Amino acid sequence: MTGVCGCCGALRPRYKRLVDNIFPEDPEDGLVKANMEKLTFYALSAPEKLDRIGAYLSERLSRDVARHRYGYVCIAMEALDQLLMACHCQSINLFVESFLKMVRKLLESDKPNLQILGTNSFVKFANIEEDTPSYHRSYDFFVSRFSEMCHSNYEDPDIRTKIRMAGIKGLQGVVRKTVNDELQANIWDPQHMDKIVPSLLFNLQSGERTESRSPSPLQASEKEKESPAELTERCFRELLGRAAYGNIKNAVSPVLMHLDNHSLWEGKTFAVRCFKIIMYSIQSQHSHLVIQQLLGHLDANSKNSAKVRAGIVEVLLEAAAIAASGSVGPTVLEVFNTLLRQLRLSVDYELTGSYDGSTNIGTKIIKAHEERQLQEAVIRTIGSFANTLPTYQRSEVMLFIMGKIPVPGVNLTLLPNELVPQGTRMIQIMLLKSLVQVTTGFQNTNMLTALPDTFLDPLLSFSLINHSEVRLLVLQILLSLIDRHDNRPKFSKIRIISDISVLKLKVDKCSRQDNLFMKKHGQHLCRHIYLGCKEPNSDQQHYETLYALLGLLSVELANEEVVVDLIRLALALQDLALSTDEGLTIYNRCAVHALSAAYLNLICQLTTVPAFCQHIHEVIEVRQKEGPYLLPEGVFLEHPKLPPSLEKVESGVLFLQSKIAEVLGGSGYNTDRLATPYVPQYTDEDRLSKRKSIGETISLQVEVESRNSPEKEERTPAEEITFETLKSAIVDSAGMEEQERERRRQVVEKFQKAPFEEIAAHCGARATMLQNKLNQIFEITIRPPPSPSGTISSGYGQSQSRSVPIYEMKFPDLCVY
């Protein structure tokens, strides 16, 4: 029998004998290295036998696994690994199939050690660059199995950690093996990404919870190598870094789904961390795709809770700031449009207390509080993203937001607060707060381009609204735009400064563009400052902001002519505080006195005219002794000591316009202009205020008074228009403003309350009258030319011109073009 067995053994194929020889009698002795070298040499010499070697090794490994001889299993896998590393022939594909079959067998086992062994072998295989492509290899099982291992709940925490880390490494190996191989199944397909990405995020989140327990430094150093969190983050970054343009969506969508399913938006921290990893890992030119997905997800969650939307907005804040440093594509205005839309929806939800428009009183307070937090988050996001934009794009964003601010159809300044819808007012405030964020830190060199008419006119119109918060926001926007040398913090408090050199103001000579800007808009700004001081609901913050605006105008944009106008404005504010006709309280009047004194103290030191400074300081000293309530230090206190009335104000505590004009005239300033009291020009407010309601538009009349009747031959000469005529017209119109307002109010009321038939009849009569007047004008103005029409002799021997329409005249051929 022995001879027969020996004879049969000699007849076995050589590759089987070489494979059998690598296994020792005792598996603890490990792989027989000498025989392994012989097997490797044989495989390299006869590569056509490699597939058979792999199939036989696979057969032995399956048998050993079934018999629980795990020592031989490890030897077989070690041999496979060495053969893989050594052989790169064209027959490697068939060998790989046997290898993957053995790895799969190990991964299907319920033994953690075998699972880890199979994973390690697969990772080694994934790092091998194959010379020949494979058309039929599939990794679907490995994606599913490694993802399952990432979620392992094994009882022993150490073994559980090892299994999860093996799963992460396995996913990393699958990605490396397939991501660059166009012949493989597309790993970026949703069926694979929906398994890979959540598995990585699960371990990333688990690592975050583990770190929050704050282990001791010694424990941390020991477990740092074993922690799956760092491995997960590295694998996640590698996956995202390999994503091409068309794969970004498939990689990010599972992240959004995972955060939704596990309610991770509300905590914000983990969601922000995930998207920071994403934004820093993907290629910068693809950043705008992530922004687009976040914006779409925010819109999709428009009716979700405020906490969820606030979490998405916070993530968008971080992501947009990172994306703006690279390529943001066409999404600049899209970001702001979506955020402003969410802001408007949030205001609606806060007012109704419900997401479907029905009022729910029981939950309104809680939801209103959450919605206000969301609104603040949206405003912060708008500012954060705007700060990363270049100047020209930020200007476009400013105009874009300004165009979104709702404006009622009638004059804003004539409406009391109770008549403005609450939602409209809240939207105005929120959008102005957004503008404050956008303009913060705005740097410009040309005020004409930074503040175009399309932006400045509506902005200043909002400064006339009788709502204190709106006016304050407008002033803050102006301060941000005018301040180009960071002088604003130096005017944060309104006070009397004996020596302004301690402020270290940065003053540059005004450029030609600045002079043109002030020549165009200087009177407009002065007028709104004056009218802002007339508002009875102004408080200390308003006066401090007005003082900062006056100071910045003097430092940033003031030439000699502007200085004169600002001094006249300050003296006009003093006269305003002395007047009792404006309905201002004692506090408001004292505050305006203090504002005027603080600004004159500042401007006199900027002009460096000694006599001017002396007069201002003398008056301030008198006020300190006799009327401290007329200075900032005596008014802007928590409990100021104010007099019962300001009827008896001594002339010694007032700044004299004649004295100031005299001392400045000696230094070359325009004496005539200084001696002229400042009177704001009361126009029709501004462009926004000129927007009329439908009733007002219908009621406009065109009165055409013909100076000639058809019977008269001679025409009355036209009235000559001179400068004096225009000046008198302006003065007269200023005096008739109150009558005009009353007329408009009556017209609006009539068209709002009158029946439709009466309005139609009224408009029809007006149209008929207009048509008759136009017919008369056309009859009068049609005159014949001297030659082609000829003349007619009248009965008295005089030639009389005949009225011939142009289209009936006959011209010589040479005159026709």
Side-chain angles (χ1 to χ4, degrees):
M1 291 298 297
T2 305
V4 173
C5 290
C7 179
C8 291
L11 294 176
R12 294 182 53 148
R14 185 182 179 191
Y15 72 88
K16 287 188 177 182
R17 283 185 277 126
L18 290 173
V19 169
D20 291 337
N21 291 338
I22 66 174
F23 291 93
E25 294 183 2
D26 186 0
E28 293 184 0
D29 294 339
L31 185 68
V32 180
K33 294 183 179 181
N35 294 335
M36 185 64 213
E37 291 177 359
K38 294 179 182 178
L39 177 63
T40 304
F41 179 77
Y42 176 76
L44 290 173
S45 303
E48 67 277 3
K49 301 291 185 181
L50 190 60
D51 58 329
R52 299 185 183 184
I53 295 173
Y56 185 60
L57 274 171
S58 176
E59 180 185 341
R60 285 203 57 150
L61 183 138
S62 299
R63 186 169 62 246
D64 291 336
V65 169
R67 296 175 180 177
H68 304 288
R69 297 192 295 187
Y70 300 125
Y72 289 120
V73 171
C74 295
I75 293 174
M77 291 306 301
E78 185 179 354
L80 284 168
D81 292 342
Q82 291 191 21
L83 287 173
L84 271 177
M85 299 298 294
C87 302
H88 293 282
C89 60
Q90 294 183 353
S91 304
I92 191 71
N93 278 333
L94 297 176
F95 177 73
V96 168
E97 293 302 321
S98 301
F99 169 79
L100 292 178
K101 183 178 179 182
M102 287 184 278
V103 171
R104 181 170 182 167
K105 188 74 175 179
L106 294 179
L107 293 177
E108 288 175 342
S109 171
D110 57 353
K111 300 294 181 180
N113 291 337
L114 295 184
Q115 296 175 15
I116 296 172
L117 178 64
T119 303
N120 292 337
S121 295
F122 182 84
V123 171
K124 293 177 183 177
F125 161 71
N127 291 326
I128 297 174
E129 294 184 5
E130 299 182 50
D131 298 333
T132 55
S134 174
Y135 296 90
H136 55 278
R137 196 178 301 161
S138 174
Y139 295 96
D140 293 358
F141 166 79
F142 296 101
V143 172
S144 300
R145 182 57 183 156
F146 289 139
S147 299
E148 184 181 346
M149 291 171 65
C150 289
H151 292 84
S152 173
N153 288 320
Y154 201 83
E155 295 179 358
D156 190 334
D158 291 334
I159 296 179
R160 181 171 64 240
T161 300
K162 291 180 180 179
I163 295 175
R164 289 184 179 182
M165 290 187 68
I168 296 168
K169 291 178 181 178
L171 290 178
Q172 188 178 28
V174 173
V175 172
R176 287 179 179 175
K177 198 65 181 173
T178 60
V179 73
N180 292 324
D181 192 348
E182 297 180 356
L183 299 174
Q184 299 296 341
N186 191 359
I187 198 66
W188 300 106
D189 286 344
Q191 59 178 345
H192 299 310
M193 284 291 107
D194 290 345
K195 298 175 183 177
I196 295 175
V197 174
S199 301
L200 297 177
L201 295 180
F202 173 77
N203 284 276
L204 198 62
Q205 186 184 2
S206 300
E208 200 172 60
R209 287 197 297 264
T210 304
E211 291 172 3
S212 63
R213 298 173 188 170
S214 302
S216 64
L218 180 60
Q219 292 174 334
S221 61
E222 290 176 354
K223 292 191 175 183
E224 186 176 2
K225 299 178 181 178
E226 302 174 354
S227 171
E230 290 186 2
L231 178 62
T232 302
E233 182 173 341
R234 186 166 64 251
C235 179
F236 194 31
R237 289 182 183 277
E238 182 178 344
L239 173 69
L240 296 167
R242 296 173 180 267
Y245 180 87
N247 303 325
I248 295 294
K249 182 178 180 180
N250 290 342
V252 175
S253 295
V255 178
L256 300 174
M257 190 186 309
H258 181 83
L259 296 175
D260 286 341
N261 294 339
H262 297 273
S263 302
L264 296 174
W265 292 113
E266 298 180 11
K268 301 178 185 177
T269 306
F270 180 71
V272 169
R273 181 185 177 190
C274 287
F275 274 89
K276 279 188 173 181
I277 293 174
I278 293 173
M279 298 304 294
Y280 283 118
S281 300
I282 63 175
Q283 301 176 41
S284 60
Q285 65 268 27
H286 300 158
S287 299
H288 66 279
L289 297 175
V290 181
I291 301 297
Q292 285 179 339
Q293 281 194 265
L294 279 171
L295 292 172
H297 198 66
L298 182 59
D299 280 339
N301 286 271
S302 294
K303 292 189 176 182
N304 212 325
S305 68
K307 288 185 177 180
V308 171
R309 285 178 285 136
I312 300 175
V313 169
E314 290 284 353
V315 171
L316 190 60
L317 184 153
E318 299 290 342
I322 298 171
S325 60
S327 171
V328 293
T331 60
V332 175
L333 291 182
E334 183 182 348
V335 170
F336 289 97
N337 192 33
T338 301
L339 292 175
L340 295 178
R341 183 167 60 249
Q342 292 298 322
L343 202 58
R344 183 180 291 273
L345 286 174
S346 178
V347 170
D348 292 341
Y349 295 157
E350 181 180 350
L351 291 176
T352 61
S354 172
Y355 297 126
D356 54 5
S358 61
T359 304
N360 188 346
I361 300 177
T363 59
K364 184 174 182 179
I365 296 177
I366 298 176
K367 287 187 176 181
H369 174 68
E370 293 176 355
E371 294 296 340
R372 281 194 293 271
Q373 291 180 339
L374 169 64
Q375 292 158 15
E376 294 300 324
V378 171
I379 291 172
R380 285 197 310 272
T381 303
I382 289 174
S384 176
F385 185 68
N387 289 337
T388 62
L389 297 177
T391 302
Y392 74 93
Q393 280 187 331
R394 201 187 291 199
S395 299
E396 292 177 0
V397 171
M398 288 160 48
L399 289 171
F400 180 75
I401 297 177
M402 180 60 72
K404 294 285 185 179
I405 301 180
V407 181
V410 294
N411 193 321
L412 289 169
T413 61
L414 303 181
L415 286 176
N417 286 329
E418 58 270 14
L419 296 184
V420 178
Q422 185 179 4
T424 300
R425 183 66 79 212
M426 290 180 65
I427 286 293
Q428 289 173 346
I429 292 174
M430 291 300 166
L431 294 182
L432 287 172
K433 284 183 176 180
S434 302
L435 269 180
V436 170
Q437 292 289 333
V438 172
T439 55
T440 299
F442 182 71
Q443 296 292 332
N444 68 87
T445 56
N446 189 341
M447 292 298 297
L448 285 171
T449 56
L451 283 171
D453 293 347
T454 52
F455 179 81
L456 185 61
D457 289 348
L459 180 67
L460 290 179
S461 294
F462 283 110
S463 72
L464 301 178
I465 293 179
N466 49 2
H467 190 279
S468 58
E469 187 175 2
V470 171
R471 296 199 312 276
L472 185 61
L473 291 171
V474 171
L475 291 174
Q476 291 174 351
I477 293 169
L478 284 174
L479 291 180
S480 298
L481 293 172
I482 294 175
D483 182 23
R484 295 175 294 182
H485 298 90
D486 297 326
N487 288 318
R488 179 179 176 180
K490 300 163 187 176
F491 298 115
S492 58
K493 296 294 182 182
I494 179 171
R495 54 198 173 119
I496 301 296
I497 305 172
S498 57
D499 184 7
I500 63 170
S501 61
V502 298
L503 297 179
K504 298 181 180 178
L505 298 172
K506 299 176 183 177
V507 183
D508 284 345
K509 185 178 180 181
C510 283
S511 64
R512 180 174 175 272
Q513 290 84 0
D514 293 344
N515 291 334
L516 289 174
F517 174 81
M518 289 306 293
K519 189 173 183 179
K520 184 177 183 180
H521 299 293
Q523 292 299 321
H524 207 183
L525 291 170
C526 290
R527 172 174 172 268
H528 283 78
I529 293 173
Y530 182 85
L531 295 178
C533 292
K534 290 177 64 176
E535 294 293 340
N537 57 355
S538 298
D539 56 16
Q540 178 178 345
Q541 194 173 4
H542 286 82
Y543 294 115
E544 288 179 343
T545 312
L546 287 168
Y547 171 71
L549 180 57
L550 286 168
L552 287 177
L553 287 174
S554 305
V555 173
E556 299 281 352
L557 301 171
N559 53 28
E560 186 175 310
E561 184 177 348
V562 174
V563 168
V564 170
D565 287 338
L566 292 175
I567 293 173
R568 291 172 61 224
L569 173 62
L571 294 172
L573 293 179
Q574 178 180 259
D575 296 338
L576 171 66
L578 292 172
S579 173
T580 58
D581 301 333
E582 301 296 339
L584 295 177
T585 63
I586 296 297
Y587 172 79
N588 292 128
R589 295 170 65 185
C590 291
V592 173
H593 270 300
L595 171 63
S596 175
Y599 177 67
L600 287 173
N601 174 70
L602 172 69
I603 195 67
C604 75
Q605 297 184 59
L606 289 174
T607 56
T608 64
V609 178
F612 183 27
C613 295
Q614 182 180 356
H615 172 67
I616 300 299
H617 291 157
E618 287 176 355
V619 174
I620 290 175
E621 289 177 2
V622 175
R623 288 190 178 189
Q624 290 173 343
K625 296 177 182 178
E626 302 180 6
Y629 48 83
L630 301 179
L631 295 175
E633 290 78 7
V635 179
F636 301 119
L637 302 172
E638 187 175 354
H639 302 290
K641 297 180 180 179
L642 303 177
S645 68
L646 290 177
E647 301 300 328
K648 298 179 181 180
V649 178
E650 300 293 336
S651 60
V653 298
L654 299 178
F655 303 102
L656 302 178
Q657 184 154 4
S658 58
K659 178 68 174 177
I660 293 175
E662 178 184 348
V663 296
L664 288 179
S667 299
Y669 288 87
N670 190 334
T671 308
D672 295 337
R673 192 171 181 84
L674 278 168
T676 305
Y678 173 78
V679 178
Q681 295 179 358
Y682 287 89
T683 63
D684 207 5
E685 267 74 40
D686 42 84
R687 183 175 300 179
L688 280 182
S689 302
K690 289 178 183 175
R691 296 181 182 177
K692 300 175 175 61
S693 65
I694 298 175
E696 288 179 292
T697 305
I698 296 175
S699 68
L700 291 178
Q701 303 179 23
V702 180
E703 297 293 341
V704 181
E705 294 294 338
S706 174
R707 298 184 179 273
N708 302 351
S709 62
E711 293 82 8
K712 291 185 180 180
E713 183 181 81
E714 297 181 359
R715 303 183 62 179
T716 306
E719 180 183 357
E720 184 181 0
I721 299 177
T722 63
F723 173 75
E724 294 298 330
T725 307
L726 293 174
K727 183 177 180 180
S728 61
I730 292 174
V731 174
D732 292 342
S733 63
M736 297 174 63
E737 182 184 17
E738 195 62 36
Q739 298 178 9
E740 181 68 15
R741 289 187 178 185
E742 180 63 22
R743 187 190 70 80
R744 289 185 180 182
R745 189 191 64 77
Q746 293 176 357
V747 170
V748 172
E749 184 177 356
K750 175 181 178 181
F751 278 87
Q752 288 176 345
K753 297 181 179 179
F756 176 76
E757 293 78 8
E758 182 180 341
I759 296 176
H762 176 76
C763 294
R766 292 297 181 190
T768 303
M769 181 187 300
L770 173 62
Q771 187 61 45
N772 293 336
K773 294 294 184 182
L774 290 174
N775 291 337
Q776 293 179 18
I777 293 173
F778 294 149
E779 287 293 332
I780 295 169
T781 54
I782 295 177
R783 295 295 181 190
S787 176
S789 301
T791 57
I792 303 175
S793 298
S794 65
Y796 298 98
Q798 297 177 346
S799 63
Q800 183 177 359
S801 298
R802 184 178 62 182
S803 178
V804 180
I806 295 293
Y807 54 84
E808 292 183 1
M809 295 180 185
K810 298 185 183 298
F811 294 92
D813 293 340
L814 294 177
C815 298
V816 179
Y817 175 68

